[in-house]
Amino acid sequence: MNVNTAVTRSDTQVLTSNKMLKNTYMLLAMTLLFSAMTAGAAMYLNMPHPGMIVTMVGYFGLLFLTTKLSNSAWGLVSVFALTGFMGLTLGPIISMYVQSFSNGHQLVMTALGGTGVIFLGLSAYALTTRKDFSFLGGFLMVGVLVAFLAGIGAIVFSLPGLSIAVSAMFILLMSGMILFQTSEIIHGGETNYILATVSLYISIYNLFLSLLQILGIFGGDD
C-alpha cells in the first residue's frame, strides 16, 4: 500500500513537472518572438533608447505587475507587456552595434547564436541529469545584486574595465540562473509557469546583452 502510494505520488509529480515545462517553454518561445518583433519595430522606426531610468522604472514596474497577476489570466497580458517593453529597449542597442561596427550584424548574430547554444545546452543538461541546483539560489541572488550595482557604477563613472568585468560576471551568473530555474521547475520549486517564463526570459535577455557587449569590445571592427 505504501509502495503503491509512493509510486502514484512520483508519477503525479513527473506529470506535473512535464506539464509545467511544456507550458513554460511554450510561453517562453512566444514571449521571445514577441520581444524580437518589438525590437525589430524599434529598429525600423529608429527609436532612441529610453535611458536607464525609464528602462528601470518600466522593467521593475511591469515585473511587479506580472508577479501580482501571475495567478490570473491577466498575468499573460502583463508578461507580454513586460517582454514587449524589454524588446523596445533592446532594439536601439542592437541598432547602435549595427551602425557603430562594420561587422555589427555578425556580432549580433554571434551573440544570438551563443545565447541559444548556452541556453539549450544548460537546459538539456539540467533536464537530462535532473540534478537539484537549488543550492545555487542564495549565491546567485547575491551575485546578481553585486553585478547590478557594479554595472550602475560602471555606467555612472564611465569605467570600461569594470563594464567588461560586469558583462563577464553576468554571463556566468545568467548561466547559473538557467540551471537553477530549470531545476526549480523539474523539482517543483516553481509551480507557476508565468513566473518561470519571466525568470528564464530575463536570464536569456541579460545573457544576450552581456555576450554582445563582450563581442563588441573584443571583436568589433570600426
Side-chain angles (χ1 to χ4, degrees), residues 50-65 82 85-86 89 148:
M52 184 173 69
I53 295 178
V54 174
T55 299
M56 290 295 100
V57 171
Y59 166 69
F60 284 111
L62 289 170
L63 181 62
F64 175 79
L65 181 64
L82 171 61
F85 173 76
M86 297 309 292
T89 65
F148 177 74

Side-chain angles (χ1 to χ4, degrees), residues 54-136:
V54 174
T55 299
M56 290 295 100
V57 171
Y59 166 69
F60 284 111
L62 289 170
L63 181 62
F64 175 79
L65 181 64
T66 302
T67 302
K68 295 294 289 185
L69 299 175
S70 60
N71 291 312
S72 70
W74 285 105
L76 291 172
V77 177
S78 61
V79 76
F80 277 100
L82 171 61
T83 55
F85 173 76
M86 297 309 292
L88 289 175
T89 65
L90 184 61
I93 297 176
I94 295 176
S95 292
M96 180 192 69
Y97 277 88
V98 171
Q99 295 168 7
S100 300
F101 300 103
S102 59
N103 62 337
H105 287 92
Q106 182 182 351
L107 294 176
V108 172
M109 294 307 296
T110 301
L112 184 62
T115 301
V117 169
I118 292 173
F119 174 74
L120 293 175
L122 292 175
S123 297
Y125 178 76
L127 291 170
T128 302
T129 63
R130 302 190 75 84
K131 288 184 178 180
D132 188 354
F133 291 97
S134 59
F135 65 91
L136 292 175

